[in-house]
Amino acid sequence: MTEVWNPLYGTPVYPAKRYATLAHRIGAALKTDNDVLLVQAEAVVALEAVATSLARPGLSALNIVTSPYGGWFGQWLRRGGADVIDITALPGLPIDAETVSEALDANPGIHVLALVHAESTSGILNPLLEIISLARARGIATVVDAVASVGGHRLDVDGSGIDIAVIGPQKALGGPAGVSALSVSPRAWELILHDDAPRDSILSLADLKAWLDDGHGALPGTPAPLEFFALEAALDRVEAESIERLITRHEKAASASRAGLSALGASLWVPAERASNLVTTVSVPAGMEAAFVIRFAAGLGVELTAGVGTNLSHLIRLNHTGPRATFQIVLAGVVAYGEALRQAGLPADIGAASEAVAKAYNA
Ligand SMILES: *Cc1c(COP(=O)(O)O)cnc(C)c1O
């Protein structure tokens, strides 16, 4: 008989006593003393759990939509009986704090405001701090989808007063995709722990509260050990680099990408103060197909992708998230985009663009 062997045979269970440490380390990355819950699934499940656990008839929510994620969040809240007002930004663009302020003034009695911090789908950054202060001034609880932004943008959960922040390790933190986490403030718990709160459900945060109250021991069910070992490894690396330096690395990748693309004469989709540090987005020139750029870059071994969402197929994204936030990836993306422009007969100074990237990295 041939020997069948694989290093993953006999994977040890993740030690129960380490979950509390994981939660504590995530709290430190988020700068929060709030409770941190671990969700045994991809971050979309954590987001759906938040919406499902908050939703009830009589709850009013203002839901900011700047990508499909926000659209889903509103739909999950409605499914649970909440009254939801969606405010939707123009396709692929951030929301203005002023629009949010007007919507809050026009709709007194809102309990919860939800938004995404930074969008990897379009490369935008929402004005998080302004919006959180608008909500706080009115006593409204806030839910922030920081799945993409954690590790790529400054995020100070307690300093800004975010009630629920949802994160995933798979973006800027460079970790596994099969586990996620969220922080929950005392005020958010008050909204969640009502008599009709969903129970005995993988989407029930009230159930996860029992895990906290029981002393952060073994998670319910059979947690997937590889995911938790991988999360621990990702946190080891993040802490060795330091979250501040990780954020700086993303800032550098974003500013170098922008400098390089500007030197090519490319049209950046949003100005720097409205752009994410995770992906940099350009709008392809009229008459040029994004699909052509993507195919051409792929031929050079460079991954460029289209914008995700309605009416965003004219956008090209240069992804410099997590392990991709490096000089090599940024340079390759800029050069490939420039060469695609030239292939299409458009002028593009690749030398100047490369120099601009190098200079941004030396700054
Ligand atoms: C990536 C991401 C998620 C998680 O969704 P997946 O696409 O399934 O990884 C949630 N919210 C935001 C803003 C994200 O960027």
Side-chain angles (χ1 to χ4, degrees):
M1 204 182 91
T2 50
E3 195 196 2
V4 179
W5 183 84
N6 186 292
L8 299 183
Y9 280 150
T11 308
V13 296
Y14 189 76
K17 63 175 195 290
R18 293 176 95 99
Y19 291 115
T21 313
L22 278 182
H24 180 77
R25 294 169 77 185
I26 290 169
L30 297 180
K31 301 195 190 323
T32 186
D33 291 328
N34 286 338
D35 290 334
V36 172
L37 303 177
L38 298 166
V39 173
Q40 301 177 47
E42 202 265 347
V44 169
V45 179
L47 289 164
E48 185 167 350
V50 169
T52 305
S53 297
L54 285 170
R56 59 176 160 79
L59 183 100
S60 291
L62 189 77
N63 181 49
I64 296 168
V65 180
T66 50
S67 72
Y69 297 113
W72 299 344
F73 198 83
Q75 175 198 314
W76 296 323
L77 285 171
R78 275 186 203 96
R79 184 183 64 192
D83 295 318
V84 184
I85 298 163
D86 280 333
I87 49 173
T88 305
L90 291 171
L93 288 174
I95 198 78
D96 288 317
E98 206 166 286
T99 309
V100 178
S101 169
E102 283 163 14
L104 289 172
D105 289 343
N107 298 282
I110 298 277
H111 303 102
V112 170
L113 177 147
L115 81 159
V116 173
H117 183 192
E119 297 282 12
S120 47
T121 50
S122 58
I124 60 96
L125 179 69
N126 279 313
L128 181 73
L129 297 182
E130 283 112 299
I131 293 174
I132 298 297
S133 16
L134 289 171
R136 288 189 76 185
R138 292 164 173 84
I140 296 169
T142 49
V143 178
V144 177
D145 174 347
V147 177
S149 66
V150 63
H153 286 272
R154 263 153 248 291
L155 183 65
D156 181 349
V157 166
D158 287 356
S160 7
I162 296 166
D163 290 292
I164 296 183
V166 179
I167 66 147
Q170 77 268 37
K171 303 270 173 75
L173 300 179
V179 61
S180 52
L182 63 147
S183 66
V184 185
S185 74
R187 190 162 56 143
W189 278 126
E190 281 173 27
L191 288 170
I192 291 166
L193 297 171
H194 56 88
D195 290 344
D196 297 323
R199 289 282 185 176
D200 302 324
S201 162
I202 196 75
L203 299 175
S204 169
L205 297 184
D207 284 1
L208 275 177
K209 179 87 163 64
W211 167 72
L212 278 181
D213 296 342
D214 289 348
H216 285 88
L219 282 172
T222 309
L226 293 179
E227 292 297 325
F228 285 98
F229 284 118
L231 172 59
E232 194 171 301
L235 290 171
D236 287 347
R237 198 167 52 178
V238 167
E239 289 166 10
E241 181 175 11
S242 93
I243 191 114
E244 278 72 27
R245 274 196 288 268
L246 176 61
I247 294 166
T248 307
R249 181 152 63 79
H250 282 88
E251 287 170 346
K252 194 150 248 195
S255 61
S257 300
R258 299 180 66 83
L261 291 162
S262 298
L264 286 176
S267 52
L268 290 161
W269 173 236
V270 282
E273 66 278 9
R274 307 181 87 198
S276 86
N277 293 331
L278 311 160
V279 307
T280 296
T281 311
V282 287
S283 187
V284 299
M288 194 169 168
E289 294 282 333
F292 164 78
V293 179
I294 291 166
R295 230 178 15 248
F296 178 81
L300 298 174
V302 173
E303 187 187 276
L304 300 180
T305 51
V308 176
T310 324
N311 294 328
L312 299 185
S313 56
H314 63 292
L315 297 183
I316 289 284
R317 297 180 298 163
L318 280 74
N319 174 2
H320 40 74
T321 306
R324 295 180 59 93
T326 64
F327 172 72
Q328 293 93 315
I329 296 277
V330 167
L331 182 68
V334 168
V335 169
Y337 187 71
E339 193 54 25
L341 292 174
R342 287 163 57 122
Q343 288 289 317
L346 297 165
D349 189 340
I350 291 173
S354 308
E355 224 168 280
V357 171
K359 212 166 141 194
Y361 262 93
N362 273 325

